[in-house]
């Protein structure tokens, strides 16, 4: 089984996990710094979803670091039978679910911001609304989703080709 | 290669395609019957996305009917090399993209409806707003997404295990 870019136990995979972690953290911090975000269900959901992503990415990054330091190849055919079938089915499903949740959270928040900024022109009428902060936070959430989506597709691909 | 439920050229696959078509059509018709939907970008996007889904599901359903009537097994190893690699990579990618678009459209519309119904209580304050129609349309869009998601996962699985 050849090494797949972004797969578990690879440097590219670790970088992907760190990227997920950093962007999810940035998204949460920008959103929480915007005044009045808690009145919007969608924005609270975005924070919850990104928080879940943060914990999950941290866990996977730790696993990657462990694999890289111990020079253990998680893609080794012998370990595959142990790790992949038991652990990765779980990981792949979890990644798919968290990717879906991230996309759902980002899109529902984007729906609210588009309503405010374009359809209702609230952002111009009420300049005290921190619309730009909402927008930046949602953009960061979309970048997080993109990375998680790549991870989950790679994992699903590995799982299916075993 | 054993027959996979929901795969191309199977009865279950055909039923899935017909389901997608019916629910996408229902979602569009309920949304267009709601007054004032066109002022919301998210709802217009939902209609566009469901319209794309409708055409795509129709095309795939035709392919399935053709395969079933001609008794040609699209999962036959000889045809796999012809169909799968050329056509299915395309189909799998397209299905993944349309599944993502459907989820994005449904979630952004749901974000707007949650804002109106829960956060702002607009639906109670302005009873002339067709909130329940919006909700039903979004629910139908979510069911469509679920079916497309199953299709795309099955296709991706077949593609990866070739």
């Amino acid at each position: 089984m050849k090494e797949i870019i972004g797969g578990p136990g690879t440097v590219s995979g670790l970088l992907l996990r760190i990227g997920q972690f950093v962007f999810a953290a940035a998204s949460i911090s920008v959103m929480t710094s915007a005044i009045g975000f808690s009145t919007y269900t969608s924005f609270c959901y975005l924070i919850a979803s990104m928080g879940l992503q943060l914990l999950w990415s941290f866990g996977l990054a730790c696993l990657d670091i462990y694999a890289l330091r111990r020079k253990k190849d998680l893609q080794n055919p012998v370990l595959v039978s142990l790790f992949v079938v038991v652990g990765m089915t779980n990981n792949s499903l979890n990644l798919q679910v968290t990717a879906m949740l991230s996309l759902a959270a980002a899109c529902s928040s984007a729906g609210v911001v588009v309503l405010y900024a374009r359809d209702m022109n609230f952002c111009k009428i009420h300049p005290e609304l921190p619309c730009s902060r909402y927008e930046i936070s949602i953009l960061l959430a979309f970048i997080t989703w993109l990375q998680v989506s790549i991870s989950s597709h790679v994992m699903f691909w590995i799982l299916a080709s075993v």
Side-chain angles (χ1 to χ4, degrees), chain A:
Chain A
M1 202 169 144
K2 61 180 191 291
E3 197 162 292
I4 293 173
I5 295 166
T10 62
V11 178
S12 54
L14 179 62
L15 289 176
L16 210 58
R17 252 59 91 188
I18 292 171
Q20 286 164 29
F21 182 84
V22 169
F23 279 100
S27 177
I28 293 174
S29 58
V30 171
M31 186 54 91
T32 47
S33 73
I35 303 149
F37 76 89
S38 58
T39 48
Y40 305 100
T41 311
S42 299
F43 296 162
C44 294
Y45 174 44
L46 185 78
I47 289 174
S49 157
M50 286 294 120
L52 181 71
Q53 203 55 73
L54 202 79
L55 292 173
W56 187 245
S57 303
F58 184 72
L60 283 182
C62 287
L63 199 73
D64 281 340
I65 290 169
Y66 174 81
L68 284 171
R69 286 198 67 179
R70 297 292 298 265
K71 305 267 182 204
K72 273 186 182 167
D73 189 9
L74 283 181
Q75 296 181 326
N76 180 305
V78 181
L79 278 170
V80 153
S81 51
L82 274 168
F83 269 92
V84 173
V85 182
V86 186
M88 272 198 204
T89 315
N90 217 346
N91 276 4
S92 167
L93 276 175
N94 277 335
L95 268 174
Q96 300 245 348
V97 170
T98 53
M100 235 172 260
L101 288 179
S102 303
L103 180 63
C107 287
S108 61
S109 304
V112 173
V113 165
V114 166
L115 182 79
Y116 269 41
R118 277 198 54 188
D119 303 343
M120 300 289 170
N121 258 326
F122 273 180
C123 291
K124 279 186 185 160
I125 299 164
H126 304 287
E128 73 278 10
L129 275 173
C131 285
S132 56
R133 274 174 197 270
Y134 296 154
E135 281 164 13
I136 292 166
S137 173
I138 291 164
L139 185 70
L140 292 168
F142 270 114
I143 297 170
T144 309
W145 162 72
L146 204 70
Q147 291 170 329
V148 180
S149 182
I150 293 168
S151 291
S152 87
H153 275 87
V154 169
M155 205 74 106
F156 195 69
W157 188 271
I158 292 172
L159 189 69
S161 58
V162 168

